[in-house]
Amino acid sequence: MIDSQRDIGRTSVDMGEVLRDISFPNADLDSLDVSFPDSGSAPQSRAQQKDLFAVQKRKSWDKSTEARCDFSYRLRLTRRSDINFISIWQKTVYGRTLTDIKGDPDMVDFFAVSICPVIKEMLGYNLKDGNWCIVTSPKRRHKVKNFSTLISEKLGQMLEIPFYEDVAFCHTKQRVNAVFDLNVLPKEPNIIVYDDFVTTGQTLAAMRRLLQPLGKNLVWFTNVNNKL
């Protein structure tokens, strides 16, 4: 063995031997009473004691905190629920809440104007051949035009293609594994399926299950990719 290797051997430490020599105290957490009862009061039960770690966990994973969007431009192609959809904005920690966005009538034009150039760039002159239309996901809670419907209607005008409002009906509010019933079948062979916010992609997948077996070619667009 050369000298350098002997030097390395002399200076190296077998960590396995070191770890075997270390002993750890047996900390039985169930036997520890870390409560601080008020003077003169009976000790609290474990069910009554506040779990500080649980409190912090709830703050970190609180699903009631609503999603937001700051409208930073991020053109993305995302695959979710076996659907490839194009989005221009991403869900963010700061910015306007989605409820606030949907409640602002001015946001309809803003959404349409923002996504329209992307659709034109992706589909090009094919939009002018009369074989394209635009649809959106069915209304679940609304009897009148909802946010996504209003944007899709505006996009149809800007792209100069037909917009079909109620292509499908959904009789339940569930989004996962939703089943849509056909109401109106567009005559155009190529369909733009638009949704304002896409989270799991389940709604888009349900539209594909409805329309693709009928010989329709589908492309999917959304403004907000609602998942970090």
Side-chain angles (χ1 to χ4, degrees):
M1 183 181 297
I2 60 176
D3 292 341
S4 60
Q5 291 176 325
R6 287 199 298 270
D7 292 339
I8 294 174
R10 285 195 298 269
T11 58
S12 62
V13 178
D14 186 350
M15 294 303 297
E17 295 181 0
V18 174
L19 293 175
R20 282 195 297 269
D21 292 336
I22 298 177
S23 61
F24 296 92
N26 181 17
D28 185 359
L29 296 180
D30 290 337
S31 65
L32 297 179
D33 184 2
V34 293
S35 60
F36 297 94
D38 296 333
S39 177
S41 62
Q44 292 177 310
S45 67
R46 291 192 181 88
Q48 295 172 321
Q49 295 168 15
K50 182 179 292 186
D51 185 346
L52 297 180
F53 292 99
V55 171
Q56 293 300 321
K57 187 180 298 184
R58 286 198 299 273
K59 290 181 179 179
S60 300
W61 296 96
D62 187 5
K63 298 302 182 182
S64 65
T65 302
E66 189 173 0
R68 298 173 179 267
C69 183
D70 63 5
F71 306 114
S72 298
Y73 189 82
R74 292 184 184 177
L75 182 62
R76 294 181 61 181
L77 174 65
T78 303
R79 184 170 181 82
R80 199 168 293 150
S81 297
D82 293 329
I83 296 292
N84 294 315
F85 64 90
I86 295 171
S87 61
I88 61 172
W89 300 321
Q90 179 74 35
K91 168 186 174 181
T92 55
V93 177
Y94 303 102
R96 296 185 68 176
T97 65
L98 302 192
T99 299
D100 183 36
I101 291 170
K102 288 190 174 188
D104 185 351
D106 293 336
M107 296 303 290
V108 172
D109 284 349
F110 178 61
F111 269 53
V113 169
S114 299
I115 193 70
C116 186
V118 177
I119 298 176
K120 287 183 176 180
E121 183 177 353
M122 296 300 297
L123 302 181
Y125 292 104
N126 291 325
L127 288 169
K128 301 293 184 179
D129 62 12
N131 291 321
W132 284 89
C133 68
I134 184 170
V135 304
T136 189
S137 56
K139 308 180 188 76
R140 286 185 172 85
R141 303 174 178 86
H142 308 80
K143 294 182 179 180
V144 296
K145 295 177 182 179
N146 57 14
F147 190 62
S148 183
T149 300
L150 292 171
I151 297 170
S152 300
E153 184 177 44
K154 183 70 175 180
L155 283 171
Q157 297 170 2
M158 297 174 68
L159 297 170
E160 299 180 19
I161 60 175
F163 164 59
Y164 293 85
E165 181 173 347
D166 290 317
V167 167
F169 282 140
C170 183
H171 299 290
T172 64
K173 294 181 180 180
Q174 69 180 32
R175 296 183 180 274
V176 178
N177 297 323
V179 178
F180 298 157
D181 295 331
L182 183 67
N183 179 51
V184 176
L185 180 63
K187 65 179 181 178
E188 291 78 10
N190 304 307
I191 300 177
I192 298 169
V193 181
Y194 172 82
D195 208 350
D196 47 8
F197 305 93
V198 173
T199 305
T200 64
Q202 289 284 329
T203 299
L204 301 183
M207 292 294 286
R208 181 179 64 179
R209 290 192 296 269
L210 178 69
L211 296 172
Q212 202 169 61
L214 300 175
K216 301 302 181 180
N217 177 47
L218 310 174
V219 291
W220 294 270
F221 290 90
T222 184
N223 278 79
V224 181
N225 187 334
N226 190 27
K227 193 172 184 179
L228 294 175

